[in-house]
Amino acid sequence: MFKKICILASLSQQSAIKEAVQYYKQQGYLVDYPIEQHNKTLFEIDLDYIYRIAAADMVVAIPKHDGNFGESVAYELAIAAYLEKYIETYYPVQKGFGGKVMAKCEKLEVKFMAGGVRETICTSCVHREICAYKQRYLEYLGACEKMRGDYPDDISFIKKSDPDCNFYEKKSDVNLRQASV
């Protein structure tokens, strides 16, 4: 049983955050959630939240009104995935999602490379939450990456790009979380 939860959400979603906090506290969890911190720099806020994610048993992400995650939350989700945290998505009642909780993301669409983090096309697709092919695509992508890494000969003349998905539709751009100084 998970004891401590860290909620990831845009600060503009205060009512959704309060709803999720109440929901998880009623389930018996200790809940850590984002609050405005006017007396800290953006670096201090980010570092503090990385520590909160690391200390949590489970991470819960709340999508914005359009069903997507903001860039800061996507960054925090990447950190949670890197730390191998159990991740759920909470859909607030007041947003018309019905207050349902999505099951654990079996595979998050962020791929980790030796040089850092990169995203796949799944991250920016409008179908990312409902895609029937995402798991198969990520498995295929993983096999392609493994083949590129294991291939003994020089294949620098071959363009190393991710495979295209026939159903990919780019979602709209999102805003960064702003910190007050």
Side-chain angles (χ1 to χ4, degrees), residues 1-5 28-30 57-58 86 88:
M1 173 85 165
F2 301 109
K3 303 241 186 269
K4 187 170 184 181
I5 292 176
Y29 298 106
L30 298 172
D57 298 305
M58 178 170 72
Y86 181 96
E88 284 187 351

Side-chain angles (χ1 to χ4, degrees), residues 52-72:
R52 292 176 188 214
I53 292 167
D57 298 305
M58 178 170 72
V59 172
V60 176
I62 303 173
K64 289 186 169 195
H65 302 289
D66 63 1
N68 296 311
F69 296 108
E71 289 182 19
S72 291

Side-chain angles (χ1 to χ4, degrees), residues 69-84:
F69 296 108
E71 289 182 19
S72 291
V73 173
Y75 167 75
E76 292 162 348
L77 278 168
I79 291 168
Y82 179 77
L83 296 173
E84 299 180 351

